[in-house]
Amino acid sequence: MPQTHFPDHTAETAPAASLRSMAATTSRLGYLPAPVARLATSPHLLDGFLKISAAFESTTLDPLSREVLIMTIATRNGCHVCVAMHTAKLTALGADAGLVKSLRAQPQQPLNDERLEAVRQFTLEVVATSGAVCDDTLRAFLAHGYTPQNALEVVLGIGAYTMSTLANRMTGAPLDDRLAPFAWEE
């Protein structure tokens, strides 16, 4: 069972190279999430994820489009922690309950918002084609007000959240009590 190999690190047990990332996360969120405590087993992965996710958060994609991408990858990869965490974030952003319900649905349901559905479909197509999207797919994405820069930012988001979802599943990261109201099962 993976959890036996990936302990919930504390400041006393974590590799020294993970301490700065753990402290920064605790400072930003007010607590140390269990997934971060487990990812601390690899300082490089933890630091890399935090840097790449921060870079993704600073892209020109709007917050809802970023969250649609994250939820698309999280549900696709079956990461219960990521779905709960980003359901909480969507809720904090004031996202429509129907949007959140559709993003959490398995199998995935089309979104009522055509622009957000375009980013969801584009994300899925980038993954399915390993980035070799056809011109029609790219044009459909761009027709909803997205830019070529946004298309590449989708790749950044896919990379960040593929890393996170796979690592969280491997480590058996549990859901923190704070996220219990947003729990999700595949």
Side-chain angles (χ1 to χ4, degrees):
M1 185 167 266
Q3 344 6 356
T4 60
H5 301 288
F6 304 101
D8 293 322
H9 283 292
T10 65
E12 291 75 34
T13 65
S18 290
L19 295 176
R20 191 179 82 210
S21 294
M22 292 170 68
T25 300
T26 301
S27 175
R28 187 169 51 85
L29 298 178
Y31 75 108
L32 183 66
V36 172
R38 291 195 179 183
L39 296 184
T41 299
S42 171
H44 296 92
L45 183 122
L46 177 58
D47 188 52
F49 170 68
L50 293 175
K51 285 179 180 175
I52 195 172
S53 63
F56 181 61
E57 288 296 315
S58 72
T59 65
T60 61
L61 283 167
D62 63 276
L64 277 180
S65 293
R66 288 193 306 263
E67 289 303 314
V68 166
L69 180 148
I70 294 165
M71 289 288 282
T72 299
I73 296 299
T75 55
R76 179 190 178 277
N77 292 347
C79 181
H80 73 284
V81 170
C82 296
V83 172
M85 187 173 290
H86 290 279
T87 297
K89 189 161 184 180
L90 280 162
T91 302
L93 287 171
D96 178 73
L99 171 67
V100 175
K101 182 179 178 184
S102 293
L103 287 168
R104 290 171 55 101
Q106 286 297 313
Q108 293 181 335
Q109 299 174 354
L111 307 179
N112 290 333
D113 183 310
E114 288 183 16
R115 186 167 191 272
L116 295 176
E117 178 63 11
V119 76
R120 190 180 75 80
Q121 288 298 323
F122 187 70
T123 299
L124 290 169
E125 190 64 18
V126 170
V127 172
T129 64
S130 300
V133 296
C134 68
D135 286 340
D136 288 344
T137 298
L138 184 56
R139 271 196 288 278
F141 179 68
L142 299 175
H144 285 88
Y146 294 106
T147 66
Q149 180 177 344
N150 294 149
L152 293 173
E153 292 168 348
V154 165
V155 174
L156 177 65
I158 290 169
Y161 288 92
T162 296
M163 181 189 313
S164 170
T165 59
L166 299 182
N168 286 334
R169 286 182 59 124
M170 181 183 290
T171 65
L175 192 62
D176 292 305
D177 289 343
R178 295 172 187 226
L179 296 175
F182 306 103
W184 177 83
E185 289 187 27
E186 207 174 346

